[in-house]
Amino acid sequence: MAQQPATNGTDHMKRSLRNRHVQMIAIGGTIGTGLFLGSGTTIHRTGPSIILVYAVLGIFMFLMMRALGEMLYEDPNQHTFVAFISKYVGEGAGFFAGWSYWLGLIFLAMAELTAIGRYIQYWFPTWNASLIQLVFLIILTATNLIAARVFGETEFWFAMIKIVAILALIFTGIIMVATGFKTPSGHIASFGNIVDHFQLFPNGAWQFLGAFPMVFFAFQGIEFVSITIGETANPRQVLPKAINQTIYRILIFYIGAIIIIMSINPWREINPLQSPFVQVFALAGLKGAAGIINFVVLTSAASALNSAIFSAGRHLYQIGREGHSKEDSRVTEISSSGVPARAIFSSSVIMLLAPALAMIPQIKDAFEFITSSSSDLYILVYALAMVAHYRYRHSPDYMADGFKMPGFPVTNIITIIFFVFIFFTLFINADARVPAAGAIIWTIVFGTFSYRKFRKADAAKDDL
């Protein structure tokens, strides 16, 4: 077994994150508005079979994380999984994936900033949304610039709030089921509500398939754990625990919460326009349920923004380290606190477009289109990461006694096929067709540019 890396990496970034930080960052980066707000829509569309969708996606996301984990275990000094795409697929593919993923994180952060403004206005409708967003961006950027451990502590408590809310829902639901709670519509809370008049495709097979991309985006962000490994004190010790424990905790939180929701309120009674969490707590007689859930969703958005700032800074730093232009070196500076300060600050400055966009009412639809388009690209980046893992297994770097992906090569190949399947299911939902088409155009145009830019370098590498 290879020896543990030193406390500080070769790039002088401080390894100050602990296992509890990494665990919460991974959980917090994944559990968000997709569960608290979006789950009502997915349940309404597919009924109890949504549990199957979450389970299938959870399995494939776990396989992807095991692939990323295997490469990171062999080389924990890498700060993003995109670095492995450059290393094993080619500089062109890495250049494309790096910038695509970084832009996706920027747009994700901008979307979360917009959401934060709206959540705060729930209590203070007269407050200026742009000013709210600016304040949150400054505060969370500052926490990222101070030290990785400060970011870790902040994210730890953000994630804790979400987890407590989910556990409260599950605990409340179990009590309601145990006491035979009756809803205003006359239904008795029971686990039997899930299988009562069960249909696998209650609204048709297309609606069932159309739920896959919606749930996929709910899981999006699980890869954040791979970005934190480079700044943990004992990366090879933390990594296996972080990946193996995170996935089943997320499945418990997601599937457990959805089972409770459908047990209390039959799925046909769930209002897709309202958070199912609000509906359950309101039925339980909790006063101000909407306000409480608004607070939880606010922390979810802040958590996602916090993770996006952290991840975007590390990705821009990684792009700079690869040195594709003279300007790249400007974002590779490490501050005295051991963080890529310029890369974080530069990413946050671009995120300032969100407050500016919030001042233009007409930009709402265009902004959501851009956000959706960038999110679609994550599927392509994930697929490229799996290709990188396949090539890693056939490279001299392969660590036979490392943290290996189970079932290779079959699991690797079917995961790539699954990501292709997810991308094509995007076209089932009318609202996602234009963004998906935009992702294809981006891939063709920027992908061609990236290929041509590094064609000679990649050819020379293949000849070695």
Side-chain angles (χ1 to χ4, degrees):
M1 184 74 66
Q3 294 181 347
Q4 289 286 338
T7 301
N8 288 342
T10 56
D11 50 15
H12 308 294
M13 289 179 70
K14 293 185 178 179
R15 299 184 182 275
S16 54
L17 293 178
R18 297 179 178 177
N19 182 50
R20 67 183 183 93
H21 295 141
V22 174
Q23 289 286 350
M24 285 298 183
I25 289 167
I27 295 172
T30 304
I31 298 175
T33 53
L35 175 62
F36 291 111
L37 294 178
S39 56
T41 301
T42 54
I43 292 172
H44 180 76
R45 294 182 62 158
T46 63
S49 58
I50 192 64
I51 297 173
L52 178 61
V53 178
Y54 273 102
V56 170
L57 265 157
I59 290 170
F60 280 104
M61 296 305 283
F62 171 70
L63 290 174
M64 182 194 75
M65 288 307 301
R66 286 296 300 263
L68 297 182
E70 181 175 356
M71 293 186 289
L72 283 162
Y73 191 89
E74 187 276 328
D75 186 5
N77 285 318
Q78 298 296 342
H79 292 281
T80 76
F81 67 90
V82 174
F84 296 111
I85 299 176
S86 297
K87 187 174 183 179
Y88 298 113
V89 182
E91 293 294 327
F95 185 77
F96 168 80
W99 282 111
S100 298
Y101 191 72
W102 180 76
L103 286 173
L105 289 168
I106 295 296
F107 288 127
L108 172 63
M110 290 168 63
E112 298 299 342
L113 272 173
T114 302
I116 285 171
R118 294 173 184 172
Y119 297 147
I120 292 292
Q121 286 180 325
Y122 173 86
W123 293 296
F124 307 101
T126 60
W127 284 18
N128 183 278
S130 297
L131 184 59
I132 295 170
Q133 295 168 26
L134 181 61
V135 170
F136 267 83
L137 182 60
I138 291 174
I139 292 173
L140 294 180
T141 298
T143 62
N144 274 271
L145 288 172
I146 294 172
R149 188 166 182 176
V150 175
F151 157 79
E153 286 294 333
T154 304
E155 189 59 25
F156 178 88
W157 292 107
F158 276 152
M160 184 63 73
I161 292 172
K162 292 187 281 189
I163 291 171
V164 168
I166 296 171
L167 292 177
L169 173 89
I170 294 174
F171 180 73
T172 301
I174 291 174
I175 292 177
M176 294 172 75
V177 170
T179 57
F181 178 84
K182 180 181 287 188
T183 67
S185 60
H187 291 95
I188 304 296
S190 168
F191 292 120
N193 287 330
I194 298 174
V195 296
D196 185 36
H197 297 96
F198 176 79
Q199 290 178 279
L200 184 60
F201 308 127
N203 292 314
W206 284 111
Q207 290 288 336
F208 174 80
L209 293 175
F212 274 89
M214 300 171 71
V215 176
F216 173 85
F217 293 129
F219 275 99
Q220 188 174 307
I222 194 173
E223 78 284 351
F224 285 168
V225 66
S226 70
I227 302 169
T228 65
I229 293 301
E231 290 167 69
T232 57
N234 301 293
R236 287 201 176 120
Q237 179 180 345
V238 171
L239 180 65
K241 294 180 181 178
I243 291 179
N244 287 336
Q245 294 177 14
T246 295
I247 188 65
Y248 73 74
R249 287 178 183 176
I250 290 174
L251 287 174
I252 289 173
F253 290 141
Y254 268 112
I255 295 179
I258 290 174
I259 287 175
I260 290 297
I261 288 168
M262 291 190 294
S263 296
I264 296 169
N265 218 8
W267 72 271
R268 287 186 173 85
E269 302 290 326
I270 294 174
N271 182 359
L273 302 178
Q274 187 181 29
S275 167
F277 279 69
V278 172
Q279 295 175 62
V280 170
F281 286 130
L283 287 172
L286 179 62
K287 294 182 179 180
I292 293 172
I293 296 302
N294 188 74
F295 172 74
V296 174
V297 175
L298 171 62
T299 61
S300 294
S303 170
L305 174 60
N306 197 33
S307 293
I309 294 172
F310 180 94
S311 301
R314 271 64 182 177
H315 273 279
L316 186 58
Y317 169 79
Q318 184 68 40
I319 291 172
R321 286 189 71 191
E322 292 175 357
H324 295 311
S325 67
K326 295 180 180 179
E327 292 77 18
D328 287 344
S329 60
R330 297 178 182 177
V331 296
T332 59
E333 178 182 304
I334 302 298
S335 69
S336 58
S337 58
V339 299
R342 284 194 177 184
I344 293 172
F345 183 76
S346 299
S347 298
S348 294
V349 167
I350 298 176
M351 294 172 193
L352 285 171
L353 286 172
L357 291 171
M359 300 173 63
I360 308 174
Q362 296 83 356
I363 203 67
K364 178 181 177 182
D365 291 340
F367 182 63
E368 291 179 354
F369 163 79
I370 294 172
T371 305
S372 298
S373 297
S374 64
S375 297
D376 295 342
L377 289 173
Y378 284 23
I379 300 174
L380 302 176
V381 176
Y382 286 167
L384 282 172
M386 295 304 299
V387 173
H389 173 259
Y390 186 90
R391 293 195 172 185
Y392 156 77
R393 273 296 191 102
H394 294 87
S395 75
D397 296 332
Y398 170 55
M399 182 185 290
D401 60 347
F403 179 55
K404 296 191 293 185
M405 178 189 189
F408 182 88
V410 174
T411 49
N412 179 289
I413 295 171
I414 63 172
T415 301
I416 294 174
I417 294 172
F418 182 74
F419 285 142
V420 174
F421 159 75
I422 292 292
F423 187 85
F424 281 106
T425 59
L426 292 169
F427 291 93
I428 294 175
N429 301 320
D431 294 338
R433 289 171 190 161
V434 174
I440 292 176
I441 294 172
W442 166 264
T443 302
I444 293 173
V445 175
F446 189 62
T448 300
F449 170 78
S450 301
Y451 169 74
R452 290 180 176 177
K453 180 179 177 67
F454 296 95
R455 178 171 49 191
K456 292 183 179 179
D458 287 336
K461 182 187 294 186
D462 291 338
D463 291 337
L464 294 177

